[in-house]
Amino acid sequence: MTLGQKLKALLKDNSMTQEDLAERLEISRQAVGKWVNDKGVPEVGKLIQISNLFGVSIDYLLKEDYEGKNVSEEKVVSNSGYYVSQEMLDGYLSYSRQNVKQITGGISLFILSNVFSCFEHNSMIMSFLYWLTMIAGISIIVWHFFQTKQYQEIKNERLAFDEKVFGKFKTQRENRRKKYTVMIIVGVVVLLASSEIERFLMIYFGQTACNVFGWVADTVWLALIIWAGMSMHIDSIIIKNTEHTPKSGHMKRYRWIYMALPFTVIAVLIGMITNAWSPYAPIIILFCCLLVTTCKLFIESRGKDE
């Protein structure tokens, strides 16, 4: 059987049309038609996606005399997991980082819009800039959540990698995690130091300068923490879905840290925006959580080295 004949059989067995396959692979219907009619061959990345989608090996797809479709060890998805090539991994990371930029940028614009409300003169211009920036931030966030989600298999399936690809990823992940930890620490430092700087600006430059700096500082520390936290989560999805290691009791003891961080950030934001209560208590909690998390990461990295 040729590749086209095998694709026709797979589509029929799975009650799929060529349009369905094109949509799943995010390509044109004409491209699938060429493959089915043996007028073209998919690129490596698409072959991997097809093998994962139908649960067959790449050898089965490409070798005309291959008869091992039903042999259990040739199943890519059922036993080994969803195979992820280097190209697919790079695509997932690039796509996920783009999402981080969109979410962080949208939230940053939303908070930064308050800078324009600090100026008393040119009220119409400042009011226009205020609403323009706020609407831009909200639009970016809403647009992000209404986009078609990609790489859902990587997020939801058990993953399989080549040993070298996964080893390289783990090394890069450790280097990135150090960078993200530094970003979180810098964010916390900005958060804690901003109140003292605001007091200084209030005395020497007035209320307007104080308010402007306050909103800029809030934007900076929150953006750093969101960016670092989401980026670390992206890498952790790959590790969790690949290694499937059971969590030890030692790890479970620190689970509350990851749950406390987003709630604390939200609490701080509510306190700052509404002025309903002083945000200093949750700020202290946030700082303690981040400090414990940093220590935990350091202990884990030392344990791996040993």
Side-chain angles (χ1 to χ4, degrees):
M1 293 176 66
T2 64
L3 171 63
Q5 292 171 331
K6 292 174 184 177
L7 284 177
K8 288 180 182 177
L10 289 171
L11 290 172
K12 183 179 179 181
D13 292 344
N14 290 271
S15 302
M16 291 178 62
T17 65
Q18 294 182 23
E19 288 81 2
D20 294 333
L21 180 59
E23 183 177 350
R24 295 291 294 272
L25 299 180
E26 298 180 352
I27 58 174
S28 66
R29 157 71 178 78
Q30 290 76 12
V32 175
K34 288 181 179 180
W35 302 342
V36 170
N37 294 314
D38 289 317
K39 295 181 179 179
V41 178
E43 60 184 16
V44 175
K46 297 304 178 185
L47 279 172
I48 293 172
Q49 287 182 271
I50 293 171
S51 71
N52 288 329
L53 178 62
F54 293 117
V56 297
S57 69
I58 295 178
D59 279 346
Y60 168 75
L61 293 172
L62 295 180
K63 295 181 180 180
E64 294 189 9
D65 58 346
Y66 189 86
E67 301 296 337
K69 175 187 171 184
N70 296 320
V71 181
S72 60
E73 62 264 23
E74 294 296 337
K75 294 272 187 174
V76 176
V77 177
S78 60
N79 293 335
S80 301
Y82 185 89
Y83 178 76
V84 180
S85 65
Q86 180 68 63
E87 292 78 9
M88 188 180 296
L89 176 61
D90 292 340
Y92 164 74
L93 293 175
S94 176
Y95 169 77
S96 300
R97 288 166 189 158
Q98 188 65 31
N99 288 342
V100 172
K101 291 179 182 178
Q102 291 175 1
I103 294 174
T104 306
I107 294 175
S108 299
L109 286 175
F110 177 79
I111 298 175
L112 197 61
S113 63
N114 291 279
V115 167
F116 300 108
S117 65
C118 300
F119 298 93
E120 297 179 0
H121 59 286
N122 297 327
S123 57
M124 291 186 60
I125 297 176
M126 293 303 167
S127 178
F128 172 76
L129 293 175
Y130 168 80
W131 286 109
L132 179 65
T133 309
M134 177 176 286
I135 292 173
I138 295 174
S139 300
I140 291 174
I141 296 173
V142 172
W143 178 75
H144 164 76
F145 283 105
F146 276 93
Q147 281 184 303
T148 303
K149 303 302 179 185
Q150 301 180 27
Y151 299 100
Q152 293 301 300
E153 296 85 356
I154 292 182
K155 296 179 181 179
N156 301 324
E157 301 286 345
R158 181 176 179 178
L159 304 180
F161 285 89
D162 290 335
E163 196 171 315
K164 291 183 179 180
V165 172
F166 189 59
K168 179 182 177 182
F169 168 77
K170 290 174 69 175
T171 301
Q172 293 174 341
R173 182 217 180 197
E174 289 302 316
N175 295 332
R176 286 194 295 264
R177 190 162 68 164
K178 294 175 183 177
K179 180 183 72 174
Y180 298 142
T181 302
V182 171
M183 289 175 63
I184 292 175
I185 294 174
V186 171
V188 172
V189 171
V190 172
L191 174 62
L192 297 179
S194 60
S195 59
E196 294 300 322
I197 299 176
E198 286 179 44
R199 192 174 304 169
F200 171 82
L201 293 174
M202 179 68 179
I203 295 173
Y204 293 98
F205 297 96
Q207 185 68 46
T208 300
C210 173
N211 292 340
V212 169
F213 174 81
W215 285 113
V216 172
D218 291 339
T219 302
V220 170
W221 72 258
L222 187 61
L224 287 172
I225 291 176
I226 291 176
W227 188 299
M230 291 185 65
S231 298
M232 293 173 76
H233 178 66
I234 290 168
D235 287 346
S236 69
I237 289 176
I238 299 291
I239 298 296
K240 184 184 75 171
N241 290 352
T242 303
E243 294 185 339
H244 296 279
T245 52
K247 295 184 177 180
S248 63
H250 175 74
M251 292 292 290
K252 290 181 179 179
R253 285 188 296 170
Y254 296 100
R255 187 180 299 170
W256 64 272
I257 296 173
Y258 300 103
M259 298 175 64
L261 287 176
F263 288 108
T264 307
V265 171
I266 293 172
V268 173
L269 283 175
I270 293 174
M272 290 187 303
I273 294 174
T274 64
N275 292 319
W277 40 266
S278 172
Y280 292 107
I283 286 174
I284 295 174
I285 296 173
L286 176 62
F287 176 75
C288 293
C289 290
L290 293 173
L291 183 62
V292 173
T293 303
T294 304
C295 294
K296 172 178 171 287
L297 294 174
F298 177 73
I299 293 171
E300 286 180 356
S301 71
R302 288 194 63 183
K304 288 179 180 180
D305 292 340
E306 294 175 357

